[in-house]
């Protein structure tokens, strides 16, 4: 009798287990505004999927990269969902580190994803991660300060014009700085900006046959410009200012101009997050001597490592967080201006979004014309707009980023820095066995 | 009065106590504990092994070492390591000796003052670095900046303008209490009658200090130097939190260089080569230190 009951109990427990099985997803993400919103809204997801629990690991960009890269490269399987850029996705997909995104829900509508962004996270026509938000770069400026100084921002500014404006608008006594730019070392921080600056000054990282071309006049011009404007017209402590720090500076009215990712537009136009929401205006990214080259294309994507043990649950979450329905729920909670931009056609077609976000069409155009597979003035063996799409670039960019930061503080002259960067990069490339 | 005598080892063969079966297991465990990581580091240092590119593999010979010693960052990091260890040693030993003599004098509230002076040693390195970075040395919110502005001077951006000096200051702040603690106990063990006699003979305060206190402290100073050197060779948290080795390579020491190679560039082979070099260096330093100190302790 007792035995039968025990058996029955055990059997019912066993039968019950699959239905009750809870999977806990560990999600690594970056502490940018849109991801913080996702974290808040995810309680709705947990309610809709009671069998999936979410555990968040929210990190600063450089730290996130380090954790995620070591995790996936050593197949440690610590995370089930990774927030990664369009730099990592194709490289990792090639190494079979990422789970392909097939079998998505029927209403996902992958064709709705912007073409440039979708191509950035695909390999051989297959998606390997789903874009959460996408960005190009643009120039933000303060209309009120421009009006007060009697200046007008041209429709397509050049870097020379920007420098002139910066000089006129800098007022250190009232802690208003002419131009804010990224100075924090890191391949995804200062080097993202510096790479696009170098491109438009006619330079590139590598020439034909993977010859390193950092020690060139184009790089020198670009870096001279960069250190010059930041030292004279930039905020103090520029070497510790990355995207988030500059966003805070601009939103609190400390910067007259800021050249950075288009994703900041939604945050700057949002009166809840920005003190200058009614004063901010925008223009395209400035151009230098070479026009029409690659500018800037980045997307933050959610991917699933092949080492994850809960791929199905992870896929459910990733599809939810990048779906049209998610965009609408952000719109409902935080207003249309706060929705994650740059991934879906439908977002840009929405009349509500166009009304709330005057920059919408502009951002779409910037993303479409980012030209990551285009050519620099001299032919180049690599692709990527504000980065070089090879695995070694993380290491190279980080090291060169440190050297560039050293020129900002005057620890190194530009010539010495370029020479050091050139030799360090050449060494790494030789060690990695390029040309391949 | 009871006297302790150690029994002379019994000369009888075969009856000698054989301890091997008893200490064998623990010695084996300890050896494995030490040797496995060491051998793995040496092995990795001879491999082409980059986490980012699994297609690059195979035996690299001494390539990793060659890349390391031809890297300008490597020599900069060695110089920085020596500067850091040397300066902190000088600051803590000199400052610690003076403070020890000072805190040995009777004055009201002495115990409380001693407690405060020793407290920084118990602050964790990361916390200490954060405190100094944000509360003391930050040009806008920092105490130093506020003082400078109050005096009508421009605030100094410490970590940008004097990066290595800033790190040296932070590390010295952490280790000065340690030196003080050891040296204070040594000063307290000094025979008061000697000092009394010297004073009767007409020796001034300086002469007393130089001829009596300092020689008495020499052993304690060598202990401080040895222990601090061991820990200062591996300073990492302070650099990671404040300057991340920069700007450029201004504050990259050997420990940080290895970290940068391993976790910023994911070059496991190169980082292991750096690790092996660090082990060799530490052993050279330890060899000399232990020899000098052992000689002093015998006196």
């Amino acid at each position: 009798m007792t035995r039968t009951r025990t058996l029955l109990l055990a059997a019912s427990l066993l039968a019950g287990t699959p239905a009750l099985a809870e999977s806990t997803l560990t999600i690594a993400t970056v502490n940018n505004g849109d991801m913080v919103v996702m974290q808040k809204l995810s309680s709705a997801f947990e309610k809709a999927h009671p069998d999936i629990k979410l555990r968040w690991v929210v990190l600063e960009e450089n730290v996130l990269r380090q954790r995620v890269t070591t995790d996936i490269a050593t197949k440690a399987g610590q995370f089930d969902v990774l927030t990664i850029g369009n730099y990592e996705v194709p490289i990792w997909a090639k190494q079979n580190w990422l789970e392909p995104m097939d079998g998505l829900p029927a209403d996902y509508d992958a064709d709705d994803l912007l073409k440039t962004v979708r191509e950035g996270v695909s390999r051989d026509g297959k998606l390997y991660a789903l874009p959460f938000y996408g960005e190009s770069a643009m120039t933000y400026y303060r209309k009120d300060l421009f009006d007060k100084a009697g200046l007008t921002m041209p429709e397509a500014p050049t870097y020379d014009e920007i420098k002139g404006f910066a000089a006129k608008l800098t007022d250190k006594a009232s802690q208003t700085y002419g131009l804010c730019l990224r100075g924090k070392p890191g391949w995804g921080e200062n080097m993202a900006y510096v790479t696009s600056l170098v491109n438009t000054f006619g330079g590139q990282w590598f020439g034909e046959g993977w010859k390193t071309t950092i020690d060139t006049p184009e790089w020198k011009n670009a870096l001279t410009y960069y250190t010059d404007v930041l030292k004279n017209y930039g905020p103090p402590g520029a070497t510790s200012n990355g995207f988030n720090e500059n966003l805070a500076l601009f939103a609190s009215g400390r910067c007259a101009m800021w050249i950075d990712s288009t994703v900041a537009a939604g945050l700057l136009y949002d009166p809840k997050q920005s003190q200058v929401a009614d004063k901010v205006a925008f223009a395209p990214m400035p151009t230098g001597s070479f026009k029409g080259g690659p500018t800037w294309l980045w997307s933050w994507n959610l991917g699933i490592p092949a080492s994850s043990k809960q791929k199905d649950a992870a896929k459910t979450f990733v599809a939810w967080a990048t779906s049209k329905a998610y965009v609408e729920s952000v719109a409902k909670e935080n207003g249309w201006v706060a929705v994650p931009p740059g991934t879906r056609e439908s977002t840009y077609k929405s009349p509500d979004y166009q009304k709330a976000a005057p920059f919408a069409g502009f951002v779409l155009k910037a993303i479409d014309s980012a030209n990551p597979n285009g050519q620099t003035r001299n032919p180049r063996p690599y692709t990527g707009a504000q980065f070089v799409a090879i695995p070694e670039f993380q290491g190279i960019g980080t090291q060169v980023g440190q050297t560039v930061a050293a020129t900002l503080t005057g620890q190194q002259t530009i010539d010495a820095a370029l020479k050091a960067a050139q030799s360090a990069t050449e060494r790494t490339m030789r060690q990695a066995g390029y040309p391949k | 009065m009871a006297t302790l005598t150690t029994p002379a080892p019994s000369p009888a063969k075969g009856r000698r106590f054989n301890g091997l079966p008893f200490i064998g297991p623990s010695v084996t465990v300890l050896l494995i504990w030490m040797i496995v990581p060491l051998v793995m580091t040496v092995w990795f240092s001879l491999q082409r092994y980059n986490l980012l590119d699994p297609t690059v593999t195979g035996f690299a010979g001494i390539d990793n070492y060659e890349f390391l010693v031809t890297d300008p960052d490597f020599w900069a990091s060695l110089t920085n390591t020596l500067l850091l260890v040397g300066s902190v040693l000088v600051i803590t030993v000199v400052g610690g000796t003076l403070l020890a003599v000072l805190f040995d004098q009777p004055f009201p509230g002495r115990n409380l003052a001693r407690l405060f002076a020793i407290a920084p040693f118990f602050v964790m390195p990361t916390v200490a670095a954060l405190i100094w970075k944000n509360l003391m040395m930050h040009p806008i919110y920092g105490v130093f900046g506020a003082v400078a502005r109050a005096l009508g001077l421009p605030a100094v951006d410490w970590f940008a303008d004097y990066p290595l000096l800033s790190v040296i200051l932070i590390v010295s702040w952490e280790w000065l209490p340690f030196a003080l603690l050891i040296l204070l106990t040594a000063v307290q063990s000094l025979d008061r009658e000697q000092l009394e006699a010297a004073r009767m003979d007409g020796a001034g305060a300086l002469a007393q200090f130089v001829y009596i206190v300092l020689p008495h402290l020499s052993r304690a100073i060598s202990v401080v130097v040895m222990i601090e050197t061991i820990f200062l060779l591996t300073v990492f948290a302070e650099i990671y939190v404040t300057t991340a080795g920069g700007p450029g390579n201004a504050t990259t020491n050997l420990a940080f260089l290895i970290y940068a190679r391993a976790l910023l560039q994911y070059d496991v082979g190169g980082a292991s080569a750096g690790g092996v070099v660090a082990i060799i260096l530490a052993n050279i330093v330890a060899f000399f230190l232990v020899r000098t100190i052992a000689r002093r302790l015998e006196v």
Side-chain angles (χ1 to χ4, degrees):
Chain A
M1 180 66 195
T2 343
R3 187 186 279 175
T4 342
R5 206 188 286 163
T6 323
L7 273 175
L8 269 175
L9 194 69
S12 67
L13 269 179
L14 277 176
T17 319
L20 290 170
E22 266 192 4
S23 33
T24 304
L25 297 179
T26 310
I27 303 164
T29 194
V30 64
N31 63 349
N32 290 355
D34 290 282
M35 280 72 174
V36 176
V37 172
M38 163 166 73
Q39 204 187 338
K40 274 189 205 136
L41 293 182
S42 64
S43 54
F45 174 82
E46 284 184 296
K47 238 175 251 161
H49 302 85
D51 52 335
I52 303 177
K53 289 266 167 295
L54 305 177
R55 213 160 60 97
W56 293 88
V57 180
V58 184
L59 299 162
E60 188 251 339
E61 191 166 328
N62 284 342
V63 184
L64 171 90
R65 290 222 167 89
Q66 199 181 310
R67 290 277 301 274
V68 162
T69 311
T70 35
D71 183 66
I72 202 159
T74 57
K75 303 194 170 50
Q78 200 181 348
F79 302 112
D80 300 299
V81 176
L82 310 173
T83 306
I84 47 181
N86 54 337
Y87 164 74
E88 285 99 349
V89 176
I91 296 174
W92 291 1
K94 189 176 160 200
Q95 281 150 5
N96 295 323
W97 287 351
L98 290 174
E99 178 73 8
M101 288 289 169
D102 33 27
L104 290 168
D107 60 348
Y108 186 76
D109 195 4
D111 291 333
D112 184 43
L113 299 172
L114 298 182
K115 191 167 158 279
T116 358
V117 173
R118 196 177 62 220
E119 277 170 4
V121 293
S122 305
R123 184 177 153 77
D124 301 332
K126 220 190 234 178
L127 282 169
Y128 276 87
L130 299 178
F132 182 69
Y133 75 68
E135 63 181 48
S136 184
M138 63 203 239
T139 309
Y140 300 96
Y141 67 98
R142 288 267 304 277
K143 224 170 17 204
D144 58 326
L145 294 178
F146 267 70
D147 288 346
K148 213 170 85 189
L151 302 171
T152 28
M153 177 66 86
E155 264 182 37
T158 65
Y159 271 111
D160 286 336
E161 288 166 335
I162 294 286
K163 191 175 181 175
F165 297 148
K168 291 203 184 90
L169 293 169
T170 303
D171 179 10
K172 287 189 179 163
S174 68
Q175 290 192 304
T176 311
Y177 301 94
L179 181 61
C180 294
L181 294 173
R182 296 184 182 190
K184 191 189 208 169
W187 70 266
E189 288 280 8
N190 63 350
M191 290 325 285
Y193 177 74
V194 169
T195 302
S196 62
L197 184 73
V198 166
N199 284 346
T200 192
F201 273 67
Q204 80 246 59
W205 280 87
F206 304 102
E208 275 173 275
W210 292 99
K211 207 170 129 316
T212 310
T213 51
I214 297 175
D215 202 359
T216 52
E218 288 83 8
W219 272 78
K220 191 178 173 180
N221 291 341
L223 273 198
T224 310
Y225 181 90
Y226 173 73
T227 49
D228 189 31
V229 289
L230 266 187
K231 265 187 205 158
N232 294 322
Y233 317 123
T239 45
S240 45
N241 292 343
F243 171 77
N244 280 324
E245 290 81 359
N246 279 320
L247 176 68
L249 282 171
F250 195 95
S252 58
R254 295 268 176 263
C255 309
M257 288 182 287
W258 177 33
I259 304 164
D260 211 308
S261 149
T262 52
V263 76
L267 307 163
L268 289 178
Y269 273 88
D270 183 357
K272 269 181 258 163
Q273 302 185 53
S274 149
Q275 295 170 23
V276 294
D278 53 339
K279 299 175 192 132
V280 56
F282 51 85
M285 213 179 175
T287 49
S289 58
F290 175 68
K291 294 177 180 66
T295 54
W296 184 301
L297 179 75
W298 184 256
S299 60
W300 275 116
N301 315 285
L302 300 177
I304 302 167
S307 54
S308 165
K309 286 178 193 73
Q310 308 169 70
K311 291 185 185 121
D312 290 331
K315 215 171 266 177
T316 315
F317 172 77
V318 169
W320 171 81
T322 57
S323 65
K324 281 185 214 166
Y326 174 79
V327 172
E328 276 156 27
S329 72
V330 177
K332 212 166 74 196
E333 290 281 324
N334 295 359
W336 270 99
V337 73
V339 303
T343 54
R344 288 184 165 272
E345 302 260 9
S346 55
T347 310
Y348 287 91
K349 279 186 193 137
S350 150
D352 292 324
Y353 187 56
Q354 284 168 4
K355 203 166 72 194
F359 48 83
F362 183 83
V363 169
L364 186 63
K365 213 175 97 194
I367 291 177
D368 282 341
S369 60
N371 199 10
N373 299 322
Q375 280 301 324
T376 41
R377 193 172 66 195
N378 297 318
R380 58 177 193 171
Y382 60 92
T383 60
Q386 80 288 19
F387 56 79
V388 179
I390 56 171
E392 288 75 17
F393 182 69
Q394 280 204 46
I396 293 172
T398 304
Q399 198 169 15
V400 177
Q402 277 280 16
T403 317
V404 167
T407 62
L408 273 185
T409 59
Q411 300 275 336
Q412 263 183 323
T413 63
I414 291 171
D415 284 318
L418 288 178
K419 225 167 135 191
Q422 168 90 8
S423 78
T425 309
E426 268 174 358
R427 288 162 45 82
T428 313
M429 292 300 278
R430 209 173 66 223
Q431 197 182 16
Y434 281 84
K436 275 188 177 162
Chain B
M1 204 171 156
T3 48
L4 283 171
T5 47
T6 38
S10 139
K13 258 193 175 175
R15 292 196 57 193
R16 225 175 106 183
F17 173 69
N18 187 359
L20 195 62
F22 296 95
I23 59 163
S26 47
V27 169
T28 317
V29 168
L30 272 176
L31 273 181
I32 293 172
W33 184 275
M34 275 164 30
I35 284 173
V36 168
L38 184 67
V39 170
M40 277 176 76
T41 310
V42 174
W43 171 247
F44 282 143
S45 77
L46 300 173
Q47 295 287 312
R48 268 180 241 287
Y49 186 5
N50 190 314
L51 281 182
L52 295 176
D53 196 348
T55 59
V56 181
T57 50
F59 191 67
I62 57 158
D63 276 10
N64 286 324
Y65 292 93
E66 198 196 315
F67 264 92
L68 188 73
V69 294
T70 52
D71 187 346
D73 280 0
F74 173 70
W75 297 103
S77 77
L78 274 191
T79 322
N80 287 336
T81 309
L82 291 181
L83 278 175
L84 181 67
V85 175
S87 325
V88 175
L89 279 180
V90 170
I91 294 175
T92 52
V93 168
V94 172
T97 312
L98 295 179
L99 281 178
V101 174
L102 185 70
F103 279 106
D104 187 45
Q105 312 299 320
F107 59 89
R110 186 172 68 167
N111 286 339
L112 200 65
R114 281 181 184 172
L115 189 68
F116 278 129
I118 289 162
F121 189 55
F122 300 102
V123 178
M124 286 163 272
T126 29
V127 178
L130 276 175
I131 294 173
W132 278 80
K133 182 187 185 187
N134 294 321
L135 296 180
M136 306 297 286
M137 288 174 163
H138 195 283
I140 294 169
Y141 333 109
V143 172
F144 291 179
V147 170
R149 272 194 296 274
L151 296 172
L153 299 168
V156 177
D157 191 354
W158 283 87
F159 293 109
D161 296 336
Y162 309 104
L164 190 59
L165 178 66
S166 312
V167 174
I168 289 173
L169 285 179
I170 297 173
V171 178
S172 302
W173 179 80
E174 286 174 336
W175 284 93
L176 185 61
F178 173 76
L180 169 62
L181 195 66
I182 304 283
L183 295 173
L184 185 60
T185 45
V187 169
Q188 283 172 337
S189 73
L190 179 63
D191 190 357
R192 300 286 139 174
E193 282 174 15
Q194 265 187 24
L195 280 178
E196 189 71 10
R199 197 159 56 238
M200 304 266 269
D201 286 344
L206 190 67
Q208 284 178 36
F209 177 73
V210 173
Y211 294 107
I212 298 177
V213 180
L214 218 48
H216 177 74
L217 285 182
S218 63
R219 253 187 225 183
I221 288 177
S222 16
V223 170
V224 169
V225 168
M226 180 162 89
I227 294 181
E228 282 195 8
T229 310
I230 293 167
F231 283 94
L232 293 176
L233 279 172
T234 59
V235 164
F236 173 77
E238 292 84 349
I239 295 172
Y240 176 77
V241 170
T242 55
T243 60
N249 54 20
T251 54
T252 303
N253 68 353
L254 199 52
F256 195 86
L257 183 80
I258 295 168
Y259 159 78
R261 288 293 172 275
L263 287 171
L264 297 178
Q265 301 175 17
Y266 306 101
D267 179 3
V268 180
S272 303
V276 171
V277 170
I279 293 169
I280 294 170
L281 266 185
N283 275 299
I284 294 173
V285 173
F287 177 75
F288 284 110
L289 276 176
V290 169
R291 256 174 49 142
T292 20
I293 286 165
R295 203 178 298 140
R296 270 178 192 279
L297 292 181
E298 277 162 15
V299 175

